Amino acid sequence: MPLTSEHWLRVWSYFPILVQGLSVNLGLLGGLLGVGFVLGIFVALLEVYGPWPSRMLAFGYAWIFRSIPEILLLLLMWFGPAQFGLQVSPFLAAVLALGLRSSAYQAEIFRGALQSLPVGQMLAARALGLSRPGAIRHILLPQALRLSLVGWGNEFAVVLKDTTLAYAIGVVEVMRQARYISSREFPLTLPAYVLVALLFLAVTYTGLFILSRAEKRWRIPGLEARR
Amino acid sequence: MNLVFSWGWLPRLSQGLLLTVELTLLSMALGAALGLILAMLRVYGRGPLLPLYLVASAYVHFFRGTPLLVQVMAFYYGLPSVGVQLSPFVAGLLALTLNTAAYQAEYFRGAIQSVRVGQMQAALALGLSRLQALRYVVLPQALRLVIPPWTNELIYMVKGSAVVYLIGVLELMGQAKNIAARTFRNFEVYVVVALFYLALIFVLTVALRAVERRIRVPGLGAPSRA
Amino acid sequence: MLLRVEDLHKRYGKEAVIQGVSFSLDQGETKVIIGPSGTGKSTLLRCINRLTEPDRGRIWLEDLEITSFKVNLNHIRAKIGFVFQDFNLFTHLTALDNVRLGLLRVKRMSRKAATERALAELARVGLADKAKAYPAELSGGQQQRVSIARALAMDPKLILFDEPTSALDPELIGEVLSVMENLAKSGMTMLVVTHEMGFARSVADEILFMEKGVIVEQGPPDQLFRSPKHPRTAEFLRRITDLYGGER
């Protein structure tokens, strides 16, 4: 089946459909990053400031969610709830599965940032009379969050690509749309996937650009040197 | 909750595990070779080999910036329309290799660039050619420095290899899907498979840590441990 | 004449670091270049083995023109030893391997011959017992001595020293200077950039004072130190003896 330049031009007529699919990926991205953020901070705080059993727990948590393939996590989250008599939508399953995975990586980022803060910060905060949780909340966490922006950029780039895996559990996102195009007109398969690839490149670089601007704006002078 | 497991799944799953290991190790090895070339082009090629430098940079940006799944699908379903029909295994291996090569190129580049400039200068001052300096002075050091990120990449590739079941490769996930389809015990099968992956990655991590310890040289530690 | 430098020029962006430097070195001579920091002294040394490319000017090693296009640079570099301020020992190799590398890969000696020679050079600088040590396990002074052994093993016609003791703790400077002094006495041709005035005074055949990219004055140590002809020389020497304490 010959692929001609005419096909490469015609695939653009399906651009709206692909963008529609991509918007689902982006929705997934937002949801899972949110889940990952909340859980990640919790796990990181537990790991850095908690008693040692919780530290072991946090370590185990990280190890599990970083060793299981994302696609397997998706399948587990898709078939798992049924065991408990629950019903989840593919989208929700994807948000939860990828969100849990992301929380393990984000926990690492936050942990690294927290541990790179000078010890004196906590000491000074306590000396002022702040409680431990108060010190963490008002002094340490804000700084750690700013330091995490760089690691966050990496995580964003990785997870954006992982959203395509939701295709495996039936989420109607961009890969599914590409398949649809392919089933309509076989020769458009390769152009469709190339177009999807270009879309991801565009979103990735835009996102990284925004994040690097944010990182520069909120950079804490004097703290980069430690990295 | 009604969980049913079966020992009878193990033979097939082990077969799948073997294929997973094969895919991972092959793609890592081939990717390392290609990645090293790309890295050297990116570090040293800007002046003398500008066109290749640009190709290498474009390659790295493309394969790192696009999803692995897209690459796998493109090679398996897309290539036939230009007359190239690849088997699922080959298409999967190709996608995995090209993908990891881009990431490894960046890790190698980072490692090469963190070898101090004075090392290359001292090598040149002795009369070594650039190529000799790379081979006997810079690369031996860079290869030691690259082990931590390389280990990470190996783990990513083990997980990445799971994706190729979607084009019909009977590695661990592929075998699991078949068993699940037959027995309807989806959750249970996938839990077992998760344990397989946990074990595999644990073994690989321990093995690589042992390698790192053996080739360690005092004074050339992992830069991350400041 | 072993080394001849003629009208050397080098600039970095807008800054002219070397502005017309010419001098020569005969076999067996030891010349020391002194001067304020940042005046192109190190750059000058690096131009001689073309680790840095000069913008203008010519350099000859005996009758071979180093600065010509046709010359085999690696061949030339094998004949010129270079000792760096930061030692630059190969971190992943033992002291023995550091000294051996050039012999094996550049001079293509047999492993046996290279090992013998390398051990001999290490013994010459007093470090035969540290052959199996890695650079990180050696003190700064020891590392620098290994680096001198590495240069010596290549049988160079001349050795360039780029502030060899500037990165060393004070108590380690002496061991390196005494190796260098013995080297000079044994007839090695040496060009040394240093702040060590005591060394310059007692070992140099001639001292070159460089400032702002040119050689302001040159002459035998006694003459330069006791009765410098140029006011800037006098001023520099006064400042430096205040800092470094004159006679060592």
Side-chain angles (χ1 to χ4, degrees), chain B residues 3 5 8 19 76 95 135 145 151 180 182 205:
Chain B
L3 294 179
F5 297 88
L19 205 58
Y76 185 62
R135 183 166 160 212
L145 290 171
T151 310
R182 265 190 303 119
T205 310

Side-chain angles (χ1 to χ4, degrees), chain A residues 88-167:
Chain A
V88 285
S89 73
F91 187 87
L92 184 59
V95 169
L96 289 175
L98 293 175
L100 279 171
R101 177 219 158 270
S102 180
S103 72
Y105 282 90
Q106 289 195 48
E108 269 309 281
I109 297 172
F110 295 138
R111 184 178 69 81
L114 278 169
Q115 290 182 324
S116 76
L117 291 174
V119 161
Q121 297 288 301
M122 173 63 100
L123 294 174
R126 298 307 301 279
L128 274 176
L130 279 167
S131 68
R132 205 151 187 256
I136 294 172
R137 188 172 145 219
H138 294 286
I139 309 290
L140 293 163
L141 207 51
Q143 294 187 56
L145 285 175
R146 290 195 204 182
L147 284 177
S148 302
L149 278 172
V150 176
W152 237 66
N154 273 330
E155 177 66 4
F156 159 79
V158 169
V159 178
L160 172 62
K161 291 176 284 194
D162 284 343
T163 58
T164 54
L165 299 175
Y167 165 71

Side-chain angles (χ1 to χ4, degrees), chain A residues 33-93:
Chain A
L33 282 178
V35 170
F37 183 79
V38 170
L39 278 174
I41 295 202
F42 179 68
V43 172
L45 288 175
L46 212 59
E47 217 177 330
V48 178
Y49 299 113
W52 76 260
S54 66
R55 248 180 288 147
M56 304 243 76
L57 233 71
F59 181 78
Y61 179 90
W63 181 58
I64 289 181
F65 283 106
R66 287 163 63 180
S67 300
I68 300 185
E70 291 78 8
I71 202 160
L72 182 56
L73 272 174
L74 282 164
L75 287 165
L76 283 169
M77 192 59 76
W78 175 237
F79 290 110
Q83 294 290 329
F84 300 91
L86 293 170
Q87 187 93 307
V88 285
S89 73
F91 187 87
L92 184 59

Side-chain angles (χ1 to χ4, degrees), chain A residues 185-206:
Chain A
E185 272 187 72
F186 179 71
L188 288 184
T189 310
L190 191 57
Y193 283 123
V194 169
L195 196 48
V196 171
L198 292 176
L199 279 170
F200 271 94
L201 278 173
V203 176
T204 304
Y205 284 119
T206 310

Side-chain angles (χ1 to χ4, degrees), chain A residues 143 146 216-225:
Chain A
Q143 294 187 56
R146 290 195 204 182
K216 281 195 188 101
R217 252 196 84 205
W218 292 326
R219 192 175 287 176
I220 306 171
L223 215 48
E224 319 91 309

Side-chain angles (χ1 to χ4, degrees), chain A residues 1-3 63-72 75-77 79-81 83-84 101 105 154-155 157-158 160-162 164-168 175 179 182 186-191 193-194 196-198 200-201 204-205 226, chain B residues 1-3 60-71 73-75 77-83 103 152 155-156 158-160 162-163 165-166 173 185-191 193-195 197-199 201-202 205 226:
Chain A
M1 265 136 282
L3 178 61
W63 181 58
I64 289 181
F65 283 106
R66 287 163 63 180
S67 300
I68 300 185
E70 291 78 8
I71 202 160
L72 182 56
L75 287 165
L76 283 169
M77 192 59 76
F79 290 110
Q83 294 290 329
F84 300 91
R101 177 219 158 270
Y105 282 90
N154 273 330
E155 177 66 4
V158 169
L160 172 62
K161 291 176 284 194
D162 284 343
T164 54
L165 299 175
Y167 165 71
M175 293 301 286
R179 234 23 196 115
S182 163
F186 179 71
L188 288 184
T189 310
L190 191 57
Y193 283 123
V194 169
V196 171
L198 292 176
F200 271 94
L201 278 173
T204 304
Y205 284 119
R226 301 187 109 253
Chain B
M1 192 154 98
N2 169 30
L3 294 179
V60 168
H61 281 294
F62 183 80
F63 277 95
R64 273 174 39 119
T66 57
L68 176 61
L69 188 57
V70 173
Q71 295 159 16
M73 294 293 185
F75 284 123
Y77 291 114
L79 284 184
S81 55
V82 287
Y103 284 91
N152 256 336
I155 294 176
Y156 267 104
V158 168
K159 299 195 288 180
V163 159
Y165 91 91
L166 286 170
M173 289 299 295
R185 293 275 153 209
N186 292 282
F187 186 67
E188 293 92 318
V189 176
Y190 291 132
V191 166
V193 165
L195 293 173
Y197 277 107
L198 283 173
I201 289 183
F202 180 75
T205 310

Side-chain angles (χ1 to χ4, degrees), chain B residues 119 121 124-125 127 132 136, chain C residues 46 74 77 89 92 105 154:
Chain B
Q119 299 285 300
Q121 295 199 327
L124 291 176
Q132 286 180 313
Y136 297 113
Chain C
R46 279 159 192 262
N74 298 329
R77 287 176 176 158
L89 285 183
H92 61 303
R105 307 294 169 194
M154 302 290 286

Side-chain angles (χ1 to χ4, degrees), chain C residues 117-143:
Chain C
R117 183 61 199 274
L119 286 171
E121 293 302 340
L122 280 173
R124 190 166 165 187
V125 300
L127 289 171
D129 57 331
K130 295 283 183 187
K132 292 289 182 189
Y134 283 95
E137 299 170 319
L138 299 171
S139 76
Q142 291 170 328
Q143 289 187 55

